[in-house]
């Protein structure tokens, strides 16, 4: 058996990616289920999420359950022989929390392959919706956790992160305080990643260190829950969490539900699911310190591999464990990613080709026009209320607004990445918007380095599949594979956009103007 499956449960879709490493390693299959296409009416989601007001953004976990059944049914019905898969690993949008009652463990253990998963698991949630990373409603809880942990800096030192609104700990605290009865009915709290892994394993499985470090609850150096942080967050939290598992150790074999319903081999190994960004780190080949990547998704993230924990004192960056179980990753999350690009595209009634043409038709620097693209409250820089700012920019000029949003995103990524202390000598770009070469050109010029694009934009799902392959090789007693040799065949750039010296010069000068506009807008 030479095939490995990576599953990525992201905000707007669930994706399966199969690699075949038999002769010349390649990506054999990519399939996605877009949540809005199938579940908009039943669950009321828009872009995969529910806006509950007051900054609360949730998703229904039962929708993820249905999506998994649908995704695997599609793979089977499209003729892919799932019996040939040797192992599965996965990735989930980071930070989202899933609240399960005491029925969850027994229900997972006795799944009936003749019935749909969602019919059998509808009763296992102590909270029907899961707060996700887009939730910005937990500022008070962040400050309370920091205070209870002895202050902002002790929490930063222990967990690698100050308390962030989108992180799991503040979400859990908010639930325990606003619905103590629901919290007391909660037997287990998992992340999106561990929840989907639990479905496949047919039992509750732990959070891995990579995704666990996005909770404000993990001792980042020991890669274990930090009792002080648990205590600072919510009552009796330790008994609601399973011990953290290393990312590279298998958690067992696939549940008979999937073996019988979809034809997986009963010996198919399941490896822990990790966060989407930690998985992208692997999927983009960032397995040695110093390389930098950019993921242009619902949010945009800029991240790098580090061999030691280096934190952002200003609280703008996050640090996670790499799921290679060796390194760490530094990450900056800009919430207004696709969200802002799509807002501009829709405002001017453009399609993506017209959007790219607008970039071709406008010069680097945009004639001095600037935008701060806070279509939604922004994570970096911290902007608590939405509000788009334009300077020397005519709101009626579609082309200039297209260039302004992309230049703002690229300049902001340069401005806010200094704390990583990793020289940006090349950018590996992934995510849906990386298909657009004109966007890559702006980033190459702003950072003054080449931007590489790869065969797939599903780097999180690819990273998961690579983790499954690497994990099996480590287990089998065959010659263990190093990380560089695991990722190399899949991370050869397909397209490279070189920076153009004139364009780079324009942006070096423009950075100060952008910084000063940003400073004025965010002051106070
Ligand atoms: C990272 C973050 C987002 C989600 C989106 O900290 O919040 O990138 O992981 O999937």
């Amino acid at each position: 058996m030479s095939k490995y499956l990576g599953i990525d449960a992201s905000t707007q879709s669930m994706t399966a990616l199969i690699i075949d490493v038999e002769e010349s390693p390649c990506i054999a299959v990519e399939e996605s289920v877009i949540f809005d296409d199938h579940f908009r009416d039943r669950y009321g989601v828009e872009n995969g999420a529910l806006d509950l007001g007051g900054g609360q953004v949730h998703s229904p976990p039962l929708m993820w359950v249905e999506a998994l059944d649908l995704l695997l049914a599609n793979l089977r019905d499209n003729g892919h022989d799932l019996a040939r898969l040797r192992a599965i690993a996965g990735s989930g949008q980071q930070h989202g929390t899933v609240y399960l009652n005491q029925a969850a463990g027994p229900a997972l253990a006795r799944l009936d392959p003749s019935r749909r998963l969602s019919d059998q698991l509808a009763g296992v949630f102590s909270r029907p919706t899961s707060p996700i990373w887009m939730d910005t409603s937990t500022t008070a809880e962040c400050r309370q956790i920091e205070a209870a942990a002895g202050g902002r800096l002790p929490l930063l030192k222990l967990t690698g992160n100050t308390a962030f609104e989108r992180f799991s700990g503040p979400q859990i605290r908010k639930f325990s305080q606003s619905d103590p009865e629901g919290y007391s009915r909660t037997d287990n709290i998992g992340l999106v990643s561990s929840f989907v892994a639990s479905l496949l394993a047919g039992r509750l499985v732990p959070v891995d260190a990579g995704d666990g470090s996005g909770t404000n609850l993990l001792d980042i150096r020991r890669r274990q829950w930090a009792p002080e942080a648990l205590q600072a967050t919510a009552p009796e939290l330790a008994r609601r969490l399973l011990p953290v598992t290393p990312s590279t150790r298998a958690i067992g074999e696939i549940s008979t539900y999937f073996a019988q319903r979809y034809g997986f081999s009963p010996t198919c190994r399941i490896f822990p699911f990790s966060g989407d960004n930690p998985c992208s780190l692997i999927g983009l080949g960032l397995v040695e310190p110093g390389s930098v990547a950019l993921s242009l998704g619902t949010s945009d993230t800029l991240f790098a591999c580090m061999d030691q924990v280096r934190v952002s004192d200003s609280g703008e960056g996050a640090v996670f464990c790499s799921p290679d179980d060796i390194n760490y990753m530094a990450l900056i999350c800009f919430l207004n990613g696709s969200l802002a690009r799509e807002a501009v595209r829709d405002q001017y009634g453009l399609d993506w080709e017209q959007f790219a043409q607008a970039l071709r038709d406008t010069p680097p620097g945009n004639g001095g026009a600037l935008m701060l693209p806070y279509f939604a409250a922004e994570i970096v820089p911290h902007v608590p209320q939405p509000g788009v700012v334009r300077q020397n920019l005519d709101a009626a000029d579609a082309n200039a607004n297209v260039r302004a949003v992309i230049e703002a995103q690229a300049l902001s990524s340069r401005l806010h990445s200094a704390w990583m202390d990793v020289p940006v000598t090349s950018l590996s770009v992934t995510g849906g918007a990386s298909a657009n070469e004109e966007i890559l050109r702006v980033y190459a010029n702003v950072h003054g380095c080449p931007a590489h694009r790869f065969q797939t934009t599903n780097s999180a799902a690819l990273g998961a599949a690579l983790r499954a392959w690497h994990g099996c090789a480590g287990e089998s007693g065959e010659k263990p594979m190093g990380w560089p040799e695991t990722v190399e065949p899949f991370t050869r750039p397909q397209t490279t956009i070189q920076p153009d010296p004139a364009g780079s010069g324009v942006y070096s000068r423009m950075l100060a103007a952008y910084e000063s506009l940003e400073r004025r807008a965010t002051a106070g």
Side-chain angles (χ1 to χ4, degrees), residues 278-448:
C279 284
S280 281
L281 191 76
I282 305 291
L284 287 165
L286 274 58
V287 292
E288 285 169 313
S291 10
V292 178
L294 176 72
S295 169
L296 302 174
T298 309
S299 66
D300 290 345
T301 54
L302 183 85
F303 49 86
C305 180
M306 307 188 294
D307 56 3
Q308 51 185 297
V309 179
R310 211 165 25 244
V311 296
S312 154
D313 289 335
S314 64
E316 288 200 330
V319 179
F320 305 130
C321 297
S322 165
D324 65 8
D325 280 340
I326 305 165
N327 289 303
Y328 293 90
M329 75 182 289
L331 172 137
I332 308 164
C333 181
F334 304 96
L335 189 129
N336 284 283
S338 300
L339 207 99
R341 290 184 287 274
E342 283 167 17
V344 171
R345 180 200 62 182
D346 296 345
Q347 194 168 341
Y348 299 100
L350 307 175
D351 59 25
W352 284 123
E353 180 38 44
Q354 290 165 323
F355 192 94
Q357 191 56 43
L359 288 171
R360 279 182 220 110
D361 289 346
T362 45
N366 217 4
L370 288 173
M371 175 194 283
L372 299 178
Y374 310 137
F375 289 85
E378 180 52 74
I379 296 169
V380 175
H382 187 61
V383 180
Q385 296 299 330
V388 176
V389 177
R390 291 180 172 84
Q391 178 174 288
N392 305 329
L393 176 62
D394 178 357
D397 183 342
N399 285 1
N401 278 268
V402 167
R403 179 160 282 281
V405 69
I406 301 300
E407 288 187 341
Q409 292 175 327
L411 288 164
S412 180
S413 76
R414 177 164 158 190
L415 196 60
H416 294 283
S417 54
W419 69 271
M420 289 182 173
D421 201 19
V422 177
V424 185
T425 52
S426 78
L427 270 179
S428 299
V429 193
T430 184
S434 66
N436 186 325
E437 281 190 19
E438 296 311 316
I439 295 182
L440 297 198
R441 201 175 312 287
V442 174
Y443 274 91
N445 283 336
V446 164
H447 285 273

Side-chain angles (χ1 to χ4, degrees), residues 257-270:
Y257 174 86
F258 296 97
Q260 291 183 15
R261 193 172 167 98
Y262 298 111
F264 286 93
S265 157
T267 62
C268 180
R269 306 287 282 156
I270 308 291

Side-chain angles (χ1 to χ4, degrees), residues 117-408:
L117 272 183
S118 54
D119 294 340
Q120 303 179 67
L121 295 177
V124 306
F125 302 100
S126 57
R127 190 182 194 184
T129 58
S130 291
I132 63 165
W133 64 277
M134 298 173 83
D135 194 298
T136 53
S137 69
T138 57
T139 306
E141 288 75 13
C142 287
R143 300 296 82 81
Q144 291 160 5
I145 290 170
E146 287 174 347
R152 188 175 163 276
L153 288 178
L155 186 72
L156 176 66
K157 202 161 164 235
L158 179 67
T159 67
N161 296 291
T162 54
F164 286 114
E165 277 80 355
R166 70 190 189 283
F167 274 36
S168 321
Q171 296 173 1
I172 295 170
R173 182 174 179 85
K174 186 174 175 109
F175 182 54
S176 74
Q177 291 190 327
S178 61
D179 184 0
E181 204 271 318
Y183 185 71
S184 73
R185 277 188 287 107
T186 303
D187 240 43
N188 177 269
I189 303 176
L191 301 182
V192 179
S193 55
S194 66
F195 175 62
V196 179
S198 299
L199 300 175
L200 287 166
R203 66 186 174 83
L204 294 178
V205 302
V207 166
D208 89 307
D211 215 10
S213 40
T215 59
N216 281 137
L217 300 171
L218 190 96
D219 179 330
I220 191 143
R221 291 175 184 81
R222 286 180 47 242
R223 300 186 183 227
Q224 293 296 335
W225 297 128
E228 312 87 298
L230 302 192
Q231 234 159 27
T233 299
E236 296 184 59
L237 182 50
R239 75 167 172 81
R240 294 179 163 87
L241 301 172
L242 293 169
V244 175
T245 184
S247 313
T248 51
R249 194 177 307 150
I251 46 181
E253 280 162 358
I254 197 161
S255 140
T256 50
Y257 174 86
F258 296 97
Q260 291 183 15
R261 193 172 167 98
Y262 298 111
F264 286 93
S265 157
T267 62
C268 180
R269 306 287 282 156
I270 308 291
F271 282 83
F273 279 37
S274 191
D276 55 356
N277 292 295
C279 284
S280 281
L281 191 76
I282 305 291
L284 287 165
L286 274 58
V287 292
E288 285 169 313
S291 10
V292 178
L294 176 72
S295 169
L296 302 174
T298 309
S299 66
D300 290 345
T301 54
L302 183 85
F303 49 86
C305 180
M306 307 188 294
D307 56 3
Q308 51 185 297
V309 179
R310 211 165 25 244
V311 296
S312 154
D313 289 335
S314 64
E316 288 200 330
V319 179
F320 305 130
C321 297
S322 165
D324 65 8
D325 280 340
I326 305 165
N327 289 303
Y328 293 90
M329 75 182 289
L331 172 137
I332 308 164
C333 181
F334 304 96
L335 189 129
N336 284 283
S338 300
L339 207 99
R341 290 184 287 274
E342 283 167 17
V344 171
R345 180 200 62 182
D346 296 345
Q347 194 168 341
Y348 299 100
L350 307 175
D351 59 25
W352 284 123
E353 180 38 44
Q354 290 165 323
F355 192 94
Q357 191 56 43
L359 288 171
R360 279 182 220 110
D361 289 346
T362 45
N366 217 4
L370 288 173
M371 175 194 283
L372 299 178
Y374 310 137
F375 289 85
E378 180 52 74
I379 296 169
V380 175
H382 187 61
V383 180
Q385 296 299 330
V388 176
V389 177
R390 291 180 172 84
Q391 178 174 288
N392 305 329
L393 176 62
D394 178 357
D397 183 342
N399 285 1
N401 278 268
V402 167
R403 179 160 282 281
V405 69
I406 301 300
E407 288 187 341

Side-chain angles (χ1 to χ4, degrees), residues 1-7 16-22 26-30 68 71-73 75-76 79-89 200 252-254 258-259 262-271 461 464-466 468-469 472:
M1 288 200 278
S2 60
K3 293 188 176 178
Y4 299 87
L5 169 62
I7 294 178
L17 183 149
I18 298 177
I19 56 170
D20 188 344
V21 299
E22 180 81 66
C26 63
I27 295 173
V29 178
E30 290 184 78
L68 182 66
L71 182 64
L72 298 179
L75 286 178
R76 179 197 56 198
H80 304 299
D81 181 5
L82 301 179
R84 295 194 51 210
L85 292 170
R86 188 166 170 201
I88 305 175
L200 287 166
E253 280 162 358
I254 197 161
F258 296 97
Y262 298 111
F264 286 93
S265 157
T267 62
C268 180
R269 306 287 282 156
I270 308 291
F271 282 83
L466 292 173
W469 181 27
C472 272

